[in-house]
Amino acid sequence: MKIKNNLNVLFLVFLPFLFTSCPFFNLFGGQEKEVEEIGEFEDINIFNADLLPDWNSFITEYSIVADEKYLYAVTTGKEEFPGKVVKILKTGESPVIKTLVEEATLKGYNTSHAYEIESIDYYGNQLILKAVPNCLQFEHAEFELFGLNSEDLSIQWRWIPEENGRIDYFVTGHPAIPRWKDYYLIYYAVEENKGYYYLVFLDTNGNQVVKRLMNASKPLEDNDICIVDNKLLLHQIYEPLIIYDLNKLIDQNYDYKDCIDFAFTSEDKMFEANISSNIVSDGNICYFSYWDITNRTKSGSVLMVNAVSLSDYKVLWSYGITDKQFNGVHSILLDNGKLFLAADYGCVYCLNSTNGKLNWKTTITDAEHPKNLLCEGCIVKNYYVIPCASNGYLYYFDINTGKIKGKHYVPVFGGRRHCYAEDDYLYITTGSYIARLRLKEK
């Protein structure tokens, strides 16, 4: 009897091993199902561009903002089909669509040029829109700002610069029109003034409070603007990363040079900082990538990822990326001590934001799309989710290991797509529609 009991114990011990190791049993739910263990993205289409009255309109880049109940987005347009503001419940019912030009005309703005809306930001109960005249397709075109009530989408105020300037923020991860305390900051270049640019402070009623003529600069091509506490981090192509004291900038008794706390430059003064990504910060440290020209005769260069202290402006650590097949980093995302970098050839890096050590590196391999152009990503639960523009898939990675846990096809329409994450939901626009995706747990 004792021997029989021992045999039963041995059978129970080896039974799990038998199920997991035998190929026959794997057909009925073995290890081959690993991707599905975390669930898949469930696709819920909550807004389709077919609801718009004209087929020329589609959702613009970087165009989803939200409050507790609603999503807000903007569409492009042409002179005969002006851009529109879309307000929709997160569950998808009852979209509200308003044409800005019609509203502006009713308020007496008979020279409104809001045919194309380029960006939308949300602060409290106010939506801030940047609009441009579609009829002027020049490199340096006019722009105007509108402040809308988020409840009924009515226009509260409108602001137009005195000069024919241009805003062109590289806004991955940052609002196009940032807010500091009770002011909106407007930064724009003026071609007619030999490359000078202005920094304007508007109050929340759209009134111009301070306007400052800043130093001559390079044309706005790739640049970033970021606000951390009372500091303004500003970068233009081939220019240093400048950190200004905002409290001094709003006081016009100071020369703008007296407001500079720090200017980060590379060893190659010709290229200055040459920052190639957006700037992110946790409030104490700012992170960005820049090209370090190591050997100009051989066109050799290394992309460096830097962490700079905002208290004493010391470089805390640097991480060099020497892969030969990519042009730069499209976006940087900071989340819970992890720094996620999306390179343009389909490679994702995860660094420890404290010391710059590499946690993991994963490459998306696709024989038909060797140059995978990754867009800005976001965090959904414990997964890093990032769209890939070359093949139209959302990829999601385990944030701790970097292993690709799955992908979900999302049609591509109209350039880069924007993601907005909230809890276990992901809202994404592809241009033609807005979808709500939920990561279902198994």
Side-chain angles (χ1 to χ4, degrees), residues 8 27 49 59 65 73 90 130 144 241 270 320 326 346 366 371-372 377 403:
N8 288 335
L27 296 176
I59 308 298
V65 294
K90 290 179 179 177
K130 174 200 168 189
E144 55 193 75
L241 168 64
M270 178 178 177
F326 77 111
D366 187 340
K371 190 173 181 62
N372 291 285
K403 185 172 184 180

Side-chain angles (χ1 to χ4, degrees), residues 59-74 85-90 119-124 126-129 150 153 174-177 418-422 427 429 434:
I59 308 298
T60 59
E61 302 176 22
Y62 311 114
S63 62
I64 299 179
V65 294
D67 60 18
E68 293 181 357
K69 294 183 180 180
Y70 294 96
L71 293 171
Y72 303 90
V74 292
V85 184
V86 177
K87 176 182 179 181
I88 183 170
L89 282 168
K90 290 179 179 177
S119 67
I120 182 171
D121 297 308
Y122 175 78
Y123 301 102
Q126 200 167 71
L127 297 168
I128 308 300
L129 307 182
S150 61
L153 302 183
H174 297 301
I177 308 298
H418 178 79
C419 301
Y420 171 77
E422 185 177 82
Y427 299 91
T429 173
I434 300 173

Side-chain angles (χ1 to χ4, degrees), residues 148 163 186 228 330 357 364:
L148 271 60
E163 301 82 12
I186 317 301
V228 182
H330 276 295
K357 301 294 184 182
I364 298 173

Side-chain angles (χ1 to χ4, degrees), residues 127-404:
L127 297 168
I128 308 300
L129 307 182
K130 174 200 168 189
V132 298
N134 187 273
C135 56
L136 295 178
Q137 298 294 340
F138 304 130
E139 182 179 3
H140 294 266
E142 300 175 18
F143 71 95
E144 55 193 75
L145 303 180
F146 286 88
L148 271 60
N149 184 298
S150 61
E151 292 296 322
D152 58 7
L153 302 183
S154 61
I155 295 178
Q156 304 298 299
W157 54 264
R158 178 185 185 225
W159 182 82
I160 301 177
E162 298 173 355
E163 301 82 12
N164 186 23
R166 189 183 96 167
I167 297 180
D168 190 18
Y169 298 153
F170 185 58
V171 295
T172 304
H174 297 301
I177 308 298
R179 179 171 170 173
W180 171 69
K181 294 182 177 179
D182 292 327
Y183 303 99
Y184 299 116
L185 269 64
I186 317 301
Y187 163 83
Y188 64 96
V190 181
E191 176 70 7
E192 291 82 359
N193 203 7
K194 298 181 180 179
Y196 278 76
Y197 64 89
Y198 287 96
L199 184 65
V200 177
F201 293 78
L202 301 182
D203 64 20
T204 53
N205 294 318
N207 300 312
Q208 183 172 301
V209 178
V210 172
K211 177 180 178 181
R212 305 204 59 156
L213 177 63
M214 309 296 281
N215 193 19
S217 62
K218 303 292 183 180
L220 281 89
E221 295 178 4
D222 294 322
N223 61 86
D224 198 19
I225 182 170
C226 177
I227 294 177
V228 182
D229 296 329
N230 294 320
K231 302 177 187 297
L232 171 66
L233 285 65
L234 183 65
H235 171 255
Q236 292 177 285
I237 189 168
Y238 305 142
E239 291 290 307
L241 168 64
I242 305 294
I243 300 180
Y244 293 95
D245 185 328
L246 279 169
N247 288 310
K248 292 181 180 178
L249 274 176
I250 200 171
D251 185 349
Q252 291 187 305
N253 292 322
Y254 284 94
D255 183 273
Y256 76 91
K257 294 181 180 179
D258 297 330
C259 306
I260 297 177
D261 281 352
F262 175 73
F264 174 82
T265 60
S266 64
E267 294 181 359
D268 189 323
K269 299 300 181 183
M270 178 178 177
F271 280 80
E272 298 291 353
N274 202 7
I275 294 179
S276 68
S277 72
N278 58 305
I279 305 169
V280 296
S281 174
D282 61 2
N284 300 310
I285 303 171
C286 69
Y287 306 89
F288 54 89
S289 66
Y290 76 98
W291 286 106
D292 183 16
I293 311 299
T294 56
N295 190 330
R296 188 172 301 283
T297 59
K298 296 182 179 180
S299 299
S301 59
V302 177
L303 187 71
M304 304 298 298
V305 183
N306 267 22
V308 175
S309 169
L310 292 176
S311 58
D312 55 13
Y313 304 115
K314 291 182 178 179
V315 176
L316 302 179
W317 55 258
S318 296
Y319 178 85
I321 300 176
T322 57
D323 296 329
K324 297 180 180 180
Q325 54 183 325
F326 77 111
N327 295 322
V329 170
H330 276 295
S331 68
I332 297 180
L333 173 67
L334 177 64
D335 183 80
N336 288 327
K338 294 182 174 65
L339 209 62
F340 298 90
L341 289 77
D344 62 356
Y345 67 108
C347 190
V348 178
Y349 296 80
C350 177
L351 306 180
N352 184 313
S353 64
T354 303
N355 53 30
K357 301 294 184 182
L358 179 67
N359 291 333
W360 50 262
K361 170 186 173 183
T362 302
T363 302
I364 298 173
T365 56
D366 187 340
E368 295 182 359
H369 303 87
K371 190 173 181 62
N372 291 285
L373 300 177
L374 299 182
C375 305
E376 77 279 9
C378 55
I379 301 295
V380 182
K381 289 192 173 179
N382 292 319
Y383 304 98
Y384 177 59
V385 183
I386 188 166
C388 183
S390 64
N391 61 13
Y393 278 93
L394 282 173
Y395 289 85
Y396 43 108
F397 306 78
D398 185 300
I399 61 173
N400 296 312
T401 66
K403 185 172 184 180
I404 298 176

Side-chain angles (χ1 to χ4, degrees), residues 79-134:
E79 186 169 355
E80 65 274 22
F81 297 111
K84 299 169 180 65
V85 184
V86 177
K87 176 182 179 181
I88 183 170
L89 282 168
K90 290 179 179 177
T91 52
E93 298 88 1
S94 305
V96 177
I97 304 172
K98 177 168 284 190
T99 302
L100 197 60
V101 170
E102 296 172 355
E103 176 75 10
T105 302
L106 290 175
K107 287 192 172 289
Y109 300 143
N110 53 9
T111 59
S112 175
H113 293 147
Y115 298 127
E116 184 170 344
I117 306 172
E118 291 190 340
S119 67
I120 182 171
D121 297 308
Y122 175 78
Y123 301 102
N125 295 319
Q126 200 167 71
L127 297 168
I128 308 300
L129 307 182
K130 174 200 168 189
V132 298
N134 187 273

